Amino acid sequence: MTDSPAPLLKPAYERVLLKLSGEVFCRDGEGGISMSELESISAQIKRLVDSGVQLAIVCGGGNILRGKQFSSSSGSINPATAHYMGMLATVINGLALQDALENAGVPTRLQTAIRMEGVAEPFIRRRCVRHLEKGRVVILAAGTGSPFVTTDTAAALRSREIDADILLKATKVDGIYSDDPEKNPHAVRFSEISYRDVLHKNLQVMDAQALHHCMEHGIPILVFNFRKTGNIEKAVAGENIGTRVLPTVESRTES
Ligand code: UDP
């Protein structure tokens, strides 16, 4: 006899932007794309979509290439070119995710910030929103289309453009800590923290440009561990996981 799946959690948000870093697509410590990781993340995403939430996903590309790896001005690859290579890496992940989601029965559209009509639609805000309203997951690739920034910035900008209720940042750690939890056993996790404290304490959450954008426009962020099965669904259900970054809160750590 097979176990019946757990009941779906009720979403606390109507429209969500999920930032999936490149590390989501590969096994710990490896690069490239792992089929099992892809299938596991797709199964988690399917549950979200089944619960009725509108979902846009910004893909990272660090499992394949980051521009700064090549961006020394003394090398033979121009720094801007290196960042365009990074953006193309996010398209590779986007294509893989699109097929994995469609195989799991999730309708999707892939939109890119750099035009490549043969493989994807261009990012057009109104069209993106229309897809979301029709229950399609929109995968957003090629970042912002401009070099020298990261997909965190793309996630912050797109959150505002599509009016997302929250930006979910899926990571390998349980949230934002006072210090690197792998190096400092006394590091504590914040359950809530303000944008300002993240900046003042120089906590490594996302790039400063992305954080500034969220702060300026009051876009709430939830940083959480995607490796714990069910966490993406819990994040969207508003459960107390990870770290919430909000406009004006007293920073609170987990007791
Ligand atoms: N990138 C860029 N402009 C953007 C988004 C990304 O130039 O708007 C490049 C940048 O070089 C970055 C790479 O694409 O390092 C891959 O994205 P990112 O590092 O954000 O991936 P992640 O860390 O999320 O896996």
Side-chain angles (χ1 to χ4, degrees):
M1 210 174 74
T2 52
D3 287 343
S4 52
L8 297 174
L9 299 177
K10 192 171 176 302
Y13 309 100
E14 197 176 327
R15 184 174 295 160
V16 164
L17 190 139
L18 175 65
K19 159 71 204 290
L20 293 181
S21 304
E23 65 192 8
V24 168
F25 295 87
C26 60
R27 287 205 195 87
D28 237 354
E30 293 181 10
I33 296 176
S34 147
M35 291 307 134
S36 57
E37 296 298 319
L38 201 55
E39 280 160 21
S40 135
I41 200 89
S42 301
Q44 291 202 57
I45 290 169
K46 177 168 170 37
R47 286 183 58 87
L48 270 193
V49 176
D50 289 346
S51 75
V53 77
Q54 296 182 15
L55 182 67
I57 301 175
V58 167
C59 289
N63 55 320
I64 300 171
L65 191 149
R66 286 198 176 92
K68 63 180 178 214
Q69 287 170 237
F70 297 97
S71 56
S72 130
S73 49
S74 56
S76 17
I77 300 175
N78 180 287
T81 307
H83 286 282
Y84 280 108
M85 290 161 66
M87 284 185 263
L88 295 183
T90 74
V91 179
I92 294 175
N93 285 335
L95 283 166
L97 182 63
Q98 178 171 41
D99 271 15
L101 284 174
E102 298 256 339
N103 272 327
V106 178
T108 64
R109 290 293 184 273
L110 176 64
Q111 294 197 337
T112 55
I114 298 172
R115 291 183 91 95
M116 43 183 95
E117 281 80 353
V119 290
E121 291 179 9
F123 172 73
I124 297 170
R125 189 188 69 82
R126 292 172 70 102
R127 197 189 277 183
C128 174
V129 168
R130 191 81 191 106
H131 288 319
L132 295 173
E133 287 167 351
K134 287 187 169 174
R136 297 169 186 144
V137 170
V138 184
I139 303 165
L140 300 168
T144 61
S146 298
F148 309 120
V149 289
T150 71
T151 51
D152 283 349
T153 298
L157 292 170
R158 298 297 188 229
S159 292
R160 179 150 178 250
E161 270 187 274
I162 65 166
D163 240 333
D165 300 313
I166 190 163
L167 192 173
L168 301 179
K169 177 156 160 119
T171 69
K172 283 192 303 194
V173 286
D174 286 334
I176 304 173
Y177 285 79
S178 54
D179 198 0
D180 184 344
E182 282 175 16
K183 294 187 189 140
N184 177 356
H186 304 295
V188 284
R189 176 170 66 84
F190 294 100
S191 52
E192 287 189 346
I193 190 165
S194 67
Y195 305 104
R196 258 175 223 296
D197 276 355
V198 172
L199 288 166
H200 285 160
K201 294 179 200 288
N202 199 20
L203 301 171
Q204 303 303 312
V205 182
M206 50 171 47
D207 68 61
Q209 206 172 334
L211 202 66
H212 271 288
H213 186 80
C214 290
M215 179 164 80
E216 211 170 302
H217 301 287
I219 302 164
I221 307 168
L222 176 69
V223 181
F224 70 100
N225 187 343
F226 71 90
R227 286 247 153 90
K228 292 193 177 152
T229 307
N231 254 7
I232 300 185
E233 203 180 339
K234 286 183 187 163
V236 173
E239 290 197 5
N240 184 22
I241 59 161
T243 302
R244 248 158 244 280
V245 190
L246 300 162
T248 47
V249 287
E250 287 288 314
S251 296
R252 282 199 296 151
T253 53
E254 284 297 293
S255 45

